[in-house]
Amino acid sequence: MKSVLIVDDEVGTRESLRMILKNDYEVFLAKNAEEAFLQVKEHSPDIILLDIILPDLDGLKVLEKIKQKEPDAIVMMITATRTVKTAVEAMKLGAYDYITKPFDTDELCLIISRALSTQAMEKEVKYLREEMDKSFGFENFVGKSGVMEDIFKIIGQIADSKSTVLIMGESGTGKEIISRAIHYNSNRRNFPFVTINCAAIPETLIESELFGHEKGAFTNAIERKLGRFEVAHQGTLFLDEIGELSLATQAKILRFLEEKEFNRVGGSKTIKVDVRLIAATNKDLTQLLKKGGFREDLYYRINVVPIIIPPLRERKGDIPLLLDHFIKKFNKENKKNVKTVSKEAMELMMNYEWPGNVRELENLIERVIVLSANDQIQANELPFSLINVSKMNGLKEYILNGKVSFLKAEEEFERGIILDALKKVNYIQSHAAEMLGVSRRILKYKMDKLGINRESLKDS
Ligand SMILES: Nc1ncnc2c1ncn2[C@@H]1O[C@H](COP(=O)(O)OP(=O)(O)OP(=O)(O)O)[C@@H](O)[C@H]1O
Ligand SMILES: [Mg+2]
């Protein structure tokens, strides 16, 4: 039950308020400032109804003192007449609202319950914002290789500036997480972070998505719609896959970058917004430039601060750290307690090329942890495809160094791919043969030769 403290020197007012509120709230009473302070100290009431005229101390002074001690308390002033001057003063000191005598019962109850729900909402927003800051702060963004350290440093240096950032990297390397880190570490963090994936929106709609449209601008434009640039006002707009934009749309973005303004589709009014642009691409824009697929002037405009994220295979030193990070994350989400990775599993992961980069690693760890019953990740919990490729990588080295014969390596490869196919089709040999493009007879022959049977599926 929420609690209310009523501070008023007139016994009649105290009593009538108490009668109105006692069914829904725990009610405390005080007839002067001194009692009010005692009650606040003892009960920390959620709401305080405070008479502006008290015998021992000015109500505004009381308000000020209470707010110092209990900044989250909702204080409503009670007055006989509403004067603007005291109203303004009380609001400045942190009063939530005013109620004037005589009270209207329904109105009073409504004001109080509304104040309480606003307070609950504010608390939630505060909590969510802190969570958000945490998740996009640096704690959830790991890396210790030299390049990643440099990237962290750059983010810190440029977060507060307005410069356009161009993030380049293969799929899954962390382009989006980096752009979020820039936004949430900048002085724009309390304004929107808006994303748009240029590759996911059809060419005919992209302009209206970015810049909005007026009612009637085209057949389906039944209402005015704000574009992402407008929504992102004072915040950051993340333009993902910028290499996919048509030359026409590129021209409009260039205009925005040069003049900070644009028109909605079908609109004649010029709209100005304050938006920081972060663009990302997994394409080589310089190649696109040469082929005429990307405007040179736009390229130089967006490439003010370039951030190049190397693929995971070029910074394998980050793998153990990322593993640790994702193991913790998915342990928590799935209430598991995986602690380490076996030496063999670690070796396989270090030898693998990670074509899907960090995202592939993250998805893999999630799957392994969901299915895991041990506290250590074992090699046989990793997918065949990873094991095979990884072993192949290791094998290549071994063959070239004469540690393993070519024929033995060939066998290893065959074994891996056959096991992979069999596992995919639940050991239905005819399906596996079809998948591998050989006859069932040949598959059977190879399986016999390599000693593969149903049991091998379990321990590979
Ligand atoms: N250094 C890192 N630390 C922790 N998590 C990371 C890191 N890099 C990437 N991730 C995680 O990997 C996943 C992929 O990252 P993100 O979506 O940022 O990649 P991307 O480069 O935008 O990929 P795509 O080009 O496919 O959109 C996300 O879940 C992200 O949280
Ligand atoms: Mg992305």
Side-chain angles (χ1 to χ4, degrees), residues 347 351 390-406 408-409 412:
E347 218 162 81
N351 268 328
S390 175
K391 276 194 179 152
M392 278 301 294
N393 289 335
L395 271 176
K396 269 188 225 153
E397 292 299 306
Y398 272 51
I399 298 167
L400 294 174
N401 293 322
K403 285 190 194 157
V404 124
S405 79
F406 182 67
K408 181 91 188 94
E412 273 298 316

Side-chain angles (χ1 to χ4, degrees), residues 140-142 171-177 322 326 358-359 362:
N140 279 317
F141 180 25
V142 301
S171 183
T173 44
K175 295 186 292 295
E176 182 155 351
I177 195 180
L322 285 163
F326 291 131
V358 185
R359 179 179 295 114
E362 180 174 7

Side-chain angles (χ1 to χ4, degrees), residues 376-402:
Q376 187 178 59
I377 296 179
Q378 303 297 333
N380 66 7
E381 290 172 276
L382 303 176
F384 288 148
S385 46
L386 182 149
I387 297 176
N388 292 341
V389 174
S390 175
K391 276 194 179 152
M392 278 301 294
N393 289 335
L395 271 176
K396 269 188 225 153
E397 292 299 306
Y398 272 51
I399 298 167
L400 294 174
N401 293 322

Side-chain angles (χ1 to χ4, degrees), residues 213-278:
H213 62 241
E214 295 294 346
K215 185 174 169 177
F218 44 87
T219 324
N220 290 326
I222 34 178
E223 270 179 355
R224 166 190 287 172
K225 179 177 178 239
L226 296 190
R228 311 268 169 122
F229 270 100
E230 258 173 284
V231 176
H233 182 48
Q234 295 187 292
T236 305
L237 179 64
F238 177 55
L239 260 181
D240 205 358
E241 315 268 11
I242 194 170
E244 300 295 323
L245 285 180
S246 70
L247 290 168
T249 312
Q250 289 175 29
K252 302 219 159 84
I253 294 191
L254 183 68
R255 175 178 167 213
F256 167 78
L257 286 172
E258 284 178 339
E259 329 208 337
K260 309 286 169 234
E261 60 181 42
F262 59 86
N263 293 75
R264 297 194 191 111
V265 176
S268 50
K269 200 175 107 193
T270 304
I271 294 166
K272 276 192 178 291
V273 288
D274 165 23
V275 169
R276 199 244 187 104
L277 198 69
I278 301 181

